[in-house]
Amino acid sequence: MSLPTESEILTFLEGYCVEASDFSTGWLEKRRDYFVVPFIEKITRQHFSGTQQVVEYYSGNGKNYLILNRKPIVSLDEIRYVLGGSNFTILNLQNIEVILAEGILKAKRNYEEAYYLPVFAKGDYNIKITYTCGYITCPDPVREAIIYLVSEQALGFLGARTGGG
């Protein structure tokens, strides 16, 4: 399912004696698209209105796992070491297991046992990761939260316009 529609929000608002004629055309959708959804995405650091490709720099921790800032991951597109200047070393994505729902990258080999270098070598912002994250379909609890928050905005708007009550 995608984001809640204007008719779904109006169905919820019927319990408050609110009708579609109380708003100009598209007011509820604009409030949803330009205020409520960006607010939820900013707070949760997740993208609910589709997927997006993100490029982020991470500091290597010297271990065989790395936790990304955003989740869920749809696909891991590229990982590079940033060595300075224009020197980049591309890491092989086949050596990395991706835990999609948790946003975790995990090496498939244990460097401590095999005397390899760690996959995520220590350094300050030395790893450039390009990945796609977000939800293709909006989860039901988030859809419900969007309906509630748009309704709160609508009721506040009507209350201020009509003097309350």
Side-chain angles (χ1 to χ4, degrees):
M1 293 182 132
S2 61
L3 296 175
T5 63
E6 186 172 13
S7 63
E8 290 175 299
I9 297 166
L10 285 169
T11 301
F12 177 77
L13 285 170
E14 282 179 358
Y16 296 94
C17 299
V18 175
E19 299 175 2
S21 61
D22 293 334
F23 303 101
S24 60
T25 305
W27 189 91
L28 292 171
E29 289 176 345
K30 288 177 186 172
R31 190 64 24 193
R32 178 198 65 199
D33 294 341
Y34 299 118
F35 181 74
V36 172
V37 172
F39 172 75
I40 291 173
E41 290 177 346
K42 179 181 175 188
I43 296 298
T44 61
R45 295 186 56 86
Q46 296 181 352
H47 200 70
F48 297 107
S49 54
T51 59
Q52 64 179 354
Q53 188 176 56
V54 180
V55 177
E56 296 178 332
Y57 290 86
Y58 289 87
S59 295
N61 56 13
K63 299 181 180 173
N64 54 2
Y65 68 90
L66 190 66
I67 301 172
L68 301 180
N69 290 332
R70 302 169 195 269
K71 59 183 181 179
I73 299 172
V74 175
S75 67
L76 179 62
D77 302 325
E78 184 179 63
I79 299 180
R80 294 176 177 252
Y81 276 120
V82 181
L83 302 174
S86 62
N87 298 329
F88 291 100
T89 302
I90 299 174
L91 291 170
N92 187 353
L93 297 179
Q94 301 302 319
N95 293 334
I96 298 172
E97 180 179 344
V98 182
I99 303 170
L100 299 173
E102 299 298 321
I104 297 174
L105 305 181
K106 184 157 177 41
K108 289 185 178 179
R109 67 179 196 275
N110 188 349
Y111 73 94
E112 293 170 349
E113 294 175 0
Y115 300 104
Y116 290 114
L117 293 174
V119 174
F120 306 111
K122 282 189 175 187
D124 291 329
Y125 299 103
N126 62 333
I127 302 171
K128 178 182 177 184
I129 301 178
T130 304
Y131 61 102
T132 304
C133 61
Y135 288 91
I136 296 170
T137 59
C138 188
D140 288 337
V142 176
R143 285 176 52 80
E144 189 171 350
I146 291 170
I147 290 171
Y148 292 162
L149 289 171
V150 172
S151 298
E152 183 270 335
Q153 290 287 304
L155 293 171
F157 170 74
L158 289 177
R161 187 176 72 182
T162 60

